[in-house]
């Protein structure tokens, strides 16, 4: 399995500001994923971050709102830009470790964001 | 569009009871199905992963089954304990995709 850490674990932010969330993995992985869990809703994939290339965004998510960096095979950041109360969610980093039987997917502890 | 539904949304049982959580999905062309446990402040913990070619997987007191043709999976928890209290999430991965599609989860409370 992969051990994933995220910073910060939680934050309270003001409307119109931006927050960058960091994700660190204890092993090299090709693909990292960012998910969002809004209150009472299911987890939804925001984007897939590949090292050395632009992130791939899911329908409904755009780079200007959620810029992503992937500088190496163990680290990624997600920025939530120009925040509004609707961005209040749990943001989770996830990896799929190649070579592990059946490509099991693992998640970090999440970042709980509240926007006032 | 793949949709995943979990029933019931919440479940409260006395300690020691055996229980079943249900997950259904609309598109049977899945690559695999994964059950997770979500504890507040601790993210998601992977419980069981079932490949599309498999019928079930077991880990300790947990047993997950998969009926791909009918679009259903169940998670069976034997001899439930208060420490099993958490939200259980079902997620499917479609063939040819890296995306997991999640249900909203079942919130389980096991009372001592």
């Amino acid at each position: 399995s992969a051990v994933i850490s995220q910073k910060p674990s939680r934050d309270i932010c003001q409307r119109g500001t931006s927050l960058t969330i960091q994700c660190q993995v204890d092993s090299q992985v090709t693909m990292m994923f960012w998910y969002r869990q809004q209150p009472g809703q299911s987890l939804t994939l925001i984007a897939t971050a590949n090292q050395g290339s632009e992130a791939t965004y899911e329908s409904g998510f755009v780079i200007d709102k959620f810029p992503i960096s992937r500088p190496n095979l163990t680290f990624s950041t997600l920025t939530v830009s120009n925040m509004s109360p609707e961005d209040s969610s749990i943001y989770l980093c996830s990896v799929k470790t190649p070579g592990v039987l059946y490509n099991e997917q693992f998640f970090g502890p999440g970042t709980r964001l509240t926007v006032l | 569009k793949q949709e995943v539904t979990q029933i019931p949304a919440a479940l409260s049982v006395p300690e020691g009871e055996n229980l079943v959580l249900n997950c259904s999905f609309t598109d049977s062309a899945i690559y695999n199905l994964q059950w997770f446990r979500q504890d507040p402040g601790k993210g998601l913990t992977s419980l069981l992963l079932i490949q599309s070619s498999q019928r079930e997987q077991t880990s300790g007191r947990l047993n997950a089954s998969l009926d791909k043709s009918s679009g259903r999976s169940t998670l069976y928890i034997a001899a439930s304990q208060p420490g099993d209290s958490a939200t259980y999430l079902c997620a499917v991965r479609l063939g040819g995709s890296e995306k997991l599609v999640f249900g909203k989860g079942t919130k389980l409370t096991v009372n001592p």
Side-chain angles (χ1 to χ4, degrees), chain A residues 3-41:
Chain A
V3 178
I4 305 169
S5 60
Q6 287 185 232
K7 291 181 181 180
S9 58
R10 58 176 61 226
D11 208 341
I12 300 173
C13 300
Q14 296 297 319
R15 182 195 301 261
T17 62
S18 298
L19 176 72
T20 295
I21 302 168
Q22 299 179 7
C23 176
Q24 180 76 51
V25 189
D26 69 341
S27 58
Q28 293 185 340
V29 294
T30 304
M31 303 178 78
M32 297 178 76
F33 307 89
W34 287 98
Y35 282 80
R36 179 177 75 178
Q37 186 178 33
Q38 293 178 301
Q41 302 300 311

Side-chain angles (χ1 to χ4, degrees), chain A residues 10 31 33 35 37 40-45 48 58-59 90 92 94 96 101-110 112, chain B residues 31-32 34 36 38 40-49 51 53-54 57 89 93 97-104:
Chain A
R10 58 176 61 226
M31 303 178 78
F33 307 89
Y35 282 80
Q37 186 178 33
Q41 302 300 311
S42 56
L43 275 80
T44 301
L45 179 63
T48 302
E58 294 295 308
S59 175
I90 299 174
L92 297 109
S94 176
K96 189 183 71 169
L101 191 64
Y102 300 140
N103 291 321
E104 192 172 357
Q105 195 146 339
F106 301 94
F107 284 77
R112 182 179 293 272
Chain B
Y31 180 72
N32 60 33
Q34 200 165 349
F36 295 89
Q38 185 174 27
K42 295 185 179 181
L44 274 65
T45 301
S46 177
L47 297 174
L48 289 165
L49 172 70
Q51 284 295 91
S53 59
Q54 296 176 316
Q57 283 285 336
L89 302 175
R93 185 192 309 276
S97 171
E98 299 296 342
K99 175 181 175 180
L100 285 179
V101 179
F102 282 83
K104 291 185 177 181

